[in-house]
Amino acid sequence: MTRTGGVKPAKKNKAEEPELEPLCCCEYIDRNGEKNHVAACLCDCQDLDEGCDRWITCKSVQPETCERITETLSDRLRIPWLRGAKKVNISIIPPLILLPVFLRVASWHFVLGVVVLTSLPVLALWYYYLTHRRKEQTLFFLSLGLFSLGYMYYVFLQEVVPRGRVGPTQLALLTCGLFLVLFALYRAKKNPGYLRNPAGNDRSLGGDQMECLNRKGQEKTKGFPGTDKSGSLNSRTLKDGLTGSSRMLAGSPTKVKEDWCAKCQLVRPARAWHCRICGMCVRRMDHHCVWINSCVGESNHQAFVLALSIFLLTSVYGITLTLDTICRDRSVFTALFYCPGVYANYSSALSFTCVWYSVIITAGMAYIFLIQLINISYNVTEREVQQALRQKTGRRLLCGLIVDPGQYNRGFLRNWHLFSTLGTRPFHHPAEDIV
């Protein structure tokens, strides 16, 4: 007897579907889904051939062609690895090549040093605004920061320590500071407090709450993402845990519309914001930091400030040791601007150039650290400061260096206490912080 109501699925023939051959260390699957080899990274690239031909004949290359060439090279730039070649982000390569070249060229003469050390921040700012305008993630600044730490330490060991002015204790302190900076950066790179879509994980609201919200928000929420054609909120809109549900019930439909994130499909809690570079919403978002290639939010803000403080102390200490070695019997400030005979030999010239490069980086980080201290003292995020400046709200002190919207300011001591407990307590906000 055969069973009715169902048909037995046909057995698959293993001979008809052969398994894919394992990749060797130099092979990979490209963006077109085809097997490729590392040795053929410059082969069969029509856009690259066309771009080279136009460059040789002194003709302009179309921006679209340049973008396709960059995408192709970034896809083919790989290193051999077990079970297939691994892709290398092309943005980490320029600092590894250009930084040593620029610093060594700047060591040849005082004029070259001024030109190179002036152009480096300009080039970095240009690249920052280029990527920031496109809203793209880049590892350039993270690579530049890490490689700068490593290269400055390498020059210190090769050119400064052999002169005999740096003792073992001083070298150990500087080395410990370097490792503490790396550890703090590792902590700052962790999850800043990304908001996940709670659909399927949190409890949905009851039928009475759904009906009440749909009836209140049918007119005012019509047309924004998360509503159906009739203007009713769908079930995904109404899921943000217990906090999000209470805020939606207590707030007006207009406020629900303001806090709704169409990209992440969720209702943001107070002080959260969507990062267009990371593509996710972040709790208590401060800003997107290119130096760690991540957002600074509720969960990693403390580690970020700690990394800045340790870096500043370590950098100032290293600069002091170097200047005391190559410019003896002079104060640090005097040696920085007047160190006769420093270009007499290449070793001292390279050390002096690296000192000035470190001073430029340290000055930039010190400004960021100062802004962070001011914002923490007033319990305001950088995102809220920029929003207050655009809307021309809040108090401005010291020519706009201090901006106090006043919405979350609870006093100096309580503001620092709140900052010290970020990420260590459940995400429950007092009623006064719900906006």
Side-chain angles (χ1 to χ4, degrees):
M1 296 293 291
T2 59
R3 297 178 62 183
T4 59
V7 179
K8 289 185 177 181
K11 293 183 178 181
K12 295 183 179 179
N13 190 357
K14 294 183 179 180
E16 296 179 357
E17 298 182 2
E19 295 182 359
L20 295 177
E21 297 181 1
L23 299 175
C24 75
C25 62
C26 295
E27 294 179 334
Y28 63 93
I29 304 299
D30 60 16
R31 58 178 181 170
N32 298 323
E34 300 176 355
K35 182 185 291 187
N36 211 329
H37 198 277
V38 173
C41 60
L42 297 179
C43 301
D44 299 330
C45 183
Q46 184 178 358
D47 294 323
L48 182 60
D49 296 338
E50 180 185 352
C52 292
D53 292 339
R54 297 183 68 87
W55 178 73
I56 293 174
T57 57
C58 299
K59 296 180 180 179
S60 61
V61 182
Q62 298 296 328
E64 295 80 6
T65 304
C66 295
E67 292 181 1
R68 290 196 298 267
I69 293 174
T70 303
E71 292 175 358
T72 303
L73 292 179
S74 62
D75 181 59
R76 297 183 180 184
L77 185 63
R78 298 173 183 260
I79 58 175
W81 203 259
L82 299 176
R83 298 182 181 179
K86 296 295 183 180
K87 187 176 179 180
V88 178
N89 194 310
I90 196 173
S91 62
I92 69 175
I93 297 178
L96 307 182
I97 300 174
L98 297 179
L99 182 62
V101 172
F102 283 163
L103 292 180
R104 291 187 178 274
V105 170
S107 305
W108 292 348
H109 195 271
F110 172 76
V111 177
L112 288 175
V114 172
V115 173
V116 171
L117 293 176
T118 304
S119 61
L120 281 178
V122 175
L123 292 175
L125 288 174
W126 170 80
Y127 186 77
Y128 167 75
Y129 284 112
L130 179 65
T131 56
H132 186 73
R133 185 174 66 250
R134 295 182 178 180
K135 305 301 179 184
E136 297 177 352
Q137 278 193 329
T138 176
L139 293 176
F140 175 86
F141 294 97
L142 178 60
S143 173
L144 177 62
L146 294 178
F147 186 66
S148 296
L149 286 174
Y151 190 70
M152 295 302 104
Y153 187 69
Y154 168 78
V155 172
F156 185 82
L157 294 179
Q158 293 293 320
E159 308 295 343
V160 180
V161 174
R163 294 173 180 261
R165 297 275 294 182
V166 179
T169 304
Q170 295 171 321
L171 180 60
L173 286 175
L174 187 66
T175 305
C176 290
L178 177 64
F179 280 102
L180 287 176
V181 170
L182 295 177
F183 178 73
L185 286 175
Y186 169 75
R187 293 292 303 272
K189 277 283 294 178
K190 285 190 173 183
N191 187 349
Y194 291 125
L195 287 169
R196 306 292 180 179
N197 192 320
N201 297 327
D202 297 336
R203 296 181 304 171
S204 59
L205 298 180
D208 295 338
Q209 295 174 338
M210 297 269 291
E211 183 180 354
C212 177
L213 283 171
N214 281 331
R215 184 171 60 252
K216 289 183 177 180
Q218 186 169 2
E219 295 297 329
K220 292 189 177 182
T221 60
K222 185 180 294 185
F224 79 97
T227 60
D228 54 23
K229 295 181 179 179
S230 63
S232 301
L233 294 169
N234 56 37
S235 58
R236 297 185 68 185
T237 310
L238 302 176
K239 293 180 179 179
D240 190 32
L242 298 177
T243 304
S245 303
S246 60
R247 292 180 62 212
M248 290 166 61
L249 289 172
S252 63
T254 305
K255 191 60 196 172
V256 174
K257 178 178 178 179
E258 292 176 358
D259 293 342
W260 169 256
C261 179
K263 299 290 185 179
C264 299
Q265 295 291 300
L266 51 81
V267 178
R268 294 187 296 260
R271 310 189 76 177
W273 201 261
H274 183 84
C275 177
R276 290 179 290 180
I277 299 178
C278 294
M280 300 185 68
C281 287
V282 182
R283 291 184 183 272
R284 197 185 178 275
M285 177 179 172
D286 189 82
H287 69 288
H288 181 90
C289 180
V290 295
W291 293 104
I292 63 175
N293 192 35
S294 177
C295 285
V296 176
E298 189 170 66
S299 300
N300 67 340
H301 201 170
Q302 295 174 346
F304 177 74
V305 175
L306 179 64
L308 283 175
S309 58
I310 298 176
F311 169 79
L312 291 176
L313 293 175
T314 305
S315 180
V316 171
Y317 187 61
I319 291 172
T320 303
L321 292 178
T322 305
L323 289 177
D324 183 64
T325 301
I326 61 178
C327 299
R328 300 181 181 182
D329 302 327
R330 294 182 184 274
S331 65
V332 175
F333 186 79
T334 303
L336 190 61
F337 293 95
Y338 181 69
C339 186
V342 72
Y343 285 94
N345 61 80
Y346 184 75
S347 175
S348 60
L350 179 61
S351 301
F352 189 71
T353 303
C354 291
V355 163
W356 263 105
Y357 175 75
S358 301
V359 167
I360 294 173
I361 298 296
T362 303
M365 295 299 107
Y367 174 77
I368 297 176
F369 184 65
L370 175 63
I371 295 299
Q372 288 295 315
L373 294 181
I374 293 174
N375 290 346
I376 294 170
S377 300
Y378 285 88
N379 194 15
V380 62
T381 64
E382 187 63 24
R383 173 69 194 180
E384 293 165 352
V385 168
Q386 298 301 325
Q387 190 174 13
L389 290 176
R390 286 195 299 267
Q391 299 177 355
K392 298 181 179 180
T393 58
R395 294 187 305 157
R396 290 171 178 78
L397 305 173
L398 296 179
C399 300
L401 183 64
I402 301 176
V403 179
D404 178 23
Q407 187 174 5
Y408 301 103
N409 191 354
R410 306 293 181 260
F412 181 83
L413 294 179
R414 189 177 178 187
N415 291 340
W416 275 96
H417 173 71
L418 292 174
F419 175 77
S420 65
T421 57
L422 283 178
T424 60
R425 65 187 190 280
F427 299 125
H428 293 300
H429 302 274
E432 59 187 0
D433 285 352
I434 296 179
V435 294

